[in-house]
Amino acid sequence: VSKKVLDYHKSLPGYKVTPLHNYKALASKLGVNSIWIKDESKRFDLNAFKVLGSSFALARHILGERDQYSYEAAKSSGIPESVLVSATDGNHGFGLAHVGNLFGLKVKIFMPQGTEPERAERISRLGADVDVLDENYDECVQVAKRFAAQHQGLFVQDTALESDTEDELKIPLYIMQGYMSILQEAFEQEPELRPTHVFLQCGVGSFASSLAAFIVNKFRNEENPPVIIGVEPSQADCFFRSAQTGQFEIVEGEMNSIMAGLCCGVPSTMAFPIMRETVSWFASCDDSVTRRGMRIMACPLPGDQSMISGESGAVTLGFVYSLLQSDSHKYLRDAMKLNQDSRILLVSTEGDTNPEGYYQNIWH
């Protein structure tokens, strides 16, 4: 599936491979073999990876199951729905607005309380109709779903809900398949890449479960497959709590972490069982962890590539740094088998999607 999905993305206007950086100096300083970071801020010049999911989901919805997908085939076939509808913390809505422009479709976006004005305005600048509600993200998802049903819209959400019908579950699945292009592309860039540890941002779990499933499938015949670690903000750590209790846990209330794209309190019902089977560890991190990751990439060691990584993009590197630098975490390093032979793979999922907030977090 991942090869077919990437071939579709290659057919989209403006496609180019996003960078895969080898942070050799940082790996040497932290005492591991290598640290590779895929920079998704360069994806279609949209500053984040999310468009990969919504663009493939729309093509799959239009064209059905087939051996090959292309943008031209999907666009020429047309779509019966009048509007694309979604809830977002920012990046998914921005990507969907771009997809709407590619296909000549209207887009309606709902955003949660506490949304930075710049995040809403940049979606509006792409022509989408944006409403910021006095609700958290998970409530916005419900509002968007109802709106789509009432206005002959296509609900393009990257999470699956308990209330979803079998037909409604298709779009979240197609979105998850779309995200696989990130690693399909990475392994085409570096065919010899063999990570021992993969750290992934959780959110609702669609991104993490998609890439985790890819990794598990790719290395299914190896004696020591990569260890997968999920990372979340402490204010929205639904997978961390679920791992603690063994149950499907929900985090409610206001979530004001700077990691806005990961402030999701309800796991995707489609992602949850995949995460349970593929992820070995979950980490709950406060905002200082991602600020550290942002600073490391903004001002790296000599020889390593400087990168702009946003609040949700940098938390995995911040956690890796904390894990490898702190003496108090030695027991965790030993349990995770992190050592001088470890080859770490990360994805910086976004750039400075809120430029003012980015510099606020870097400088202060």
Side-chain angles (χ1 to χ4, degrees):
V1 172
S2 58
K3 178 67 166 63
K4 184 163 52 175
V5 173
L6 181 57
D7 286 343
Y8 168 72
H9 286 134
K10 289 178 179 179
S11 77
L12 290 174
Y15 169 82
K16 59 180 181 287
V17 174
T18 59
L20 178 63
H21 298 300
N22 186 356
Y23 272 47
K24 294 180 180 179
L26 182 61
S28 177
K29 176 179 175 59
L30 296 181
V32 294
N33 180 282
S34 61
I35 298 175
W36 290 86
I37 306 177
K38 183 79 163 146
D39 180 8
E40 286 297 304
S41 72
K42 308 299 184 184
R43 186 63 68 186
F44 291 105
D45 296 323
L46 295 174
N47 228 3
F49 75 100
K50 288 280 192 172
V51 69
L52 294 173
S54 54
S55 61
F56 180 71
L58 186 58
R60 179 67 177 79
H61 172 73
I62 294 171
L63 297 173
E65 177 60 40
R66 57 172 60 191
D67 294 330
Q68 186 176 2
Y69 296 91
S70 75
Y71 166 65
E72 289 300 331
K75 186 177 181 182
S76 62
S77 296
I79 177 174
E81 289 84 3
S82 61
V83 60
L84 306 179
V85 185
S86 191
T88 184
D89 286 308
N91 293 338
H92 174 66
F94 193 58
L96 188 62
H98 177 73
V99 172
N101 288 335
L102 288 178
F103 284 85
L105 297 169
K106 295 180 180 179
V107 176
K108 177 69 177 181
I109 297 296
F110 296 92
M111 303 187 74
Q113 62 187 3
T115 293
E116 292 288 343
E118 170 58 22
R119 293 186 193 274
E121 289 165 10
R122 74 186 192 114
I123 298 174
S124 296
R125 287 195 291 269
L126 286 184
D129 182 17
V130 180
D131 283 348
V132 179
L133 307 180
D134 191 24
E135 307 282 356
N136 67 21
Y137 168 81
D138 301 297
E139 288 300 320
C140 287
V141 171
Q142 297 292 345
V143 172
K145 184 176 182 179
R146 290 193 294 270
F147 182 94
Q150 294 164 2
H151 294 83
Q152 294 182 313
L154 180 64
F155 183 49
V156 188
Q157 197 65 44
D158 61 343
T159 188
L161 308 173
E162 283 191 284
S163 60
D164 284 346
T165 64
E166 184 176 345
D167 198 51
E168 289 171 335
L169 288 171
K170 291 178 180 178
I171 291 294
L173 173 62
Y174 303 154
I175 288 175
M176 289 165 63
Q177 290 173 338
Y179 295 157
M180 290 184 177
S181 279
I182 296 170
L183 291 186
Q184 178 67 32
E185 189 179 85
F187 285 102
E188 288 185 6
Q189 289 169 275
E190 292 289 336
E192 301 305 312
L193 184 62
R194 293 292 183 272
T196 60
H197 296 77
V198 182
F199 292 77
L200 299 170
Q201 299 91 326
C202 291
V204 297
S206 295
F207 163 79
S209 64
S210 170
L211 273 61
F214 179 98
I215 289 291
V216 168
N217 182 65
K218 183 173 180 63
F219 296 99
R220 63 187 180 278
N221 295 323
E222 298 211 356
E223 185 177 346
N224 295 304
V227 176
I228 300 172
I229 300 97
V231 183
E232 300 178 280
S234 57
Q235 295 182 32
D237 54 356
C238 49
F239 284 98
F240 180 87
R241 298 187 193 191
S242 297
Q244 287 180 313
T245 65
Q247 305 293 325
F248 186 92
E249 297 292 341
I250 293 173
V251 179
E252 298 180 318
E254 185 178 354
M255 303 169 194
N256 57 9
S257 166
I258 63 171
M259 294 175 266
L262 302 178
C263 282
C264 312
V266 181
S268 166
T269 56
M270 186 171 292
F272 186 79
I274 299 173
M275 297 284 276
R276 186 173 54 199
E277 294 298 320
T278 59
V279 179
S280 299
W281 299 82
F282 290 96
S284 176
C285 302
D286 64 32
D287 286 348
S288 66
V289 175
T290 198
R291 287 192 180 101
R292 182 176 297 115
M294 294 167 72
R295 293 187 185 112
I296 291 170
M297 283 188 268
C299 187
L301 292 170
D304 288 348
Q305 177 66 44
S306 176
M307 287 171 51
I308 295 178
S309 182
E311 295 85 347
S312 296
V315 65
T316 49
L317 181 61
F319 177 60
V320 166
Y321 184 88
S322 301
L323 197 58
L324 294 173
Q325 279 288 95
S326 173
D327 291 338
S328 64
H329 291 152
K330 183 180 183 304
Y331 76 101
L332 276 176
R333 294 196 294 271
D334 292 343
M336 293 180 180
K337 299 182 179 178
L338 277 165
N339 53 47
Q340 68 274 10
D341 297 319
S342 296
R343 301 177 297 278
I344 295 169
L345 177 62
L346 313 174
V347 179
S348 175
T349 52
E350 66 174 7
D352 54 344
T353 55
N354 174 22
E356 183 177 344
Y358 173 81
Y359 287 108
Q360 184 77 14
N361 285 307
I362 290 289
W363 290 354
H364 295 279

